[in-house]
Amino acid sequence: MSETWESIYRSNQEMWGHEPTPSTLLIKDFFIEKGIKNILIPGFGYGRNAQVFIENGMNVTGIEISLTAIKKARKQFGFHSKIHHGSVLDMPFDTNEYDGIYCYSLIHLLDSEEREVFVQNCYNQLSKGGIMVFVVVSKNAVNYGSGKYVSKDRYEVHKGLKLYFYDTESIQAEFGPYGLFEFVEIEEDLTFYIVKCKK
């Protein structure tokens, strides 16, 4: 699994750029408004989305499966934050509780059982009243239905890259048991949903 992630990371790092995504900027403002200070970022990548939280006085801990990405985060941004090396499916990596969890464009890479485990693991690490936010790809994205069919609403859009595409029904089903209180569609390089849950 880690070889697949390294390959995906290496092929996409330049395309992603170094600026935080529009959804990340929205969630930064939302976390500031809610007074959230301690954040866990599963799928830390090379830090382009973490930087904006750190710059706004938040403590950030990451989880990242790609050693290449972790090294780039340290070099590119000079991160001193704790970044756990490993799969989000192996959470928890520490016993901390976080008042915010932010996961950008990761959960839809997992299969149904993995997604269930991952959301539960995130919820378990939320403090009471804490908020977790997932940015997930929408069925309204242009590449929905392209590539090789894997299972319902899941397609291998590139070799080794399988995406699960969400709609309102699947968001309610997967996040409803975990304090789902809001979701909204946003246009970036693809069409995503920003999904918010509160413990």
Side-chain angles (χ1 to χ4, degrees):
M1 183 175 182
S2 61
E3 286 183 11
T4 300
W5 292 113
E6 287 288 346
S7 174
I8 291 169
Y9 167 74
R10 287 178 190 276
S11 65
N12 287 295
Q13 61 177 319
E14 293 308 318
M15 178 185 72
W16 292 333
H18 300 296
E19 297 301 316
T21 64
S23 53
T24 300
L25 295 175
L26 290 173
I27 298 309
K28 176 264 296 180
D29 292 340
F30 176 70
F31 279 0
I32 290 172
E33 176 189 330
K34 297 299 181 183
I36 289 173
K37 293 294 184 185
N38 295 302
I39 301 172
L40 178 66
I41 301 183
F44 188 87
Y46 57 90
R48 68 179 179 135
N49 287 327
Q51 181 69 13
V52 71
F53 297 114
I54 294 169
E55 288 172 350
N56 283 274
M58 300 176 212
N59 299 314
V60 173
T61 300
I63 301 171
E64 176 53 49
I65 198 167
S66 167
L67 273 175
T68 303
I70 293 172
K71 289 174 184 175
K72 186 173 178 69
R74 301 284 189 213
K75 182 178 180 181
Q76 183 77 31
F77 298 106
F79 281 122
H80 299 293
S81 301
K82 177 67 178 177
I83 307 173
H84 299 289
H85 175 233
S87 168
V88 296
L89 299 175
D90 295 328
M91 292 172 66
F93 288 91
D94 57 45
T95 57
N96 299 336
E97 289 186 343
Y98 297 88
D99 52 1
I101 294 177
Y102 180 60
C103 180
Y104 178 82
S105 192
L106 178 133
I107 191 171
H108 47 252
L109 300 172
L110 308 175
D111 67 28
S112 59
E113 289 181 7
E114 292 169 338
R115 293 194 306 272
E116 184 177 357
V117 167
F118 178 48
V119 175
Q120 179 68 66
N121 287 345
C122 287
Y123 191 77
N124 290 345
Q125 285 208 260
L126 272 184
S127 57
K128 187 174 181 181
I131 295 172
M132 58 184 187
V133 179
F134 299 86
V135 180
V136 305
V137 72
S138 166
K139 283 173 71 171
N140 291 321
V142 294
N143 57 350
Y144 173 66
S146 67
K148 180 183 175 185
Y149 177 85
V150 177
S151 58
K152 185 178 186 297
D153 295 330
R154 193 164 187 241
Y155 295 86
E156 186 172 9
V157 295
H158 299 292
K159 184 175 174 61
L161 180 63
K162 299 171 185 174
L163 297 183
Y164 177 76
F165 294 83
Y166 282 87
D167 58 17
T168 57
E169 185 179 333
S170 55
I171 288 172
Q172 293 281 2
E174 291 196 9
F175 299 100
Y178 301 99
L180 174 68
F181 68 90
E182 182 179 82
F183 57 92
V184 63
E185 227 172 20
I186 184 172
E187 292 290 338
E188 295 188 357
D189 55 325
L190 291 176
T191 307
F192 292 101
Y193 283 104
I194 299 175
V195 180
K196 300 176 183 176
C197 303
K198 184 172 182 179
K199 190 169 187 177

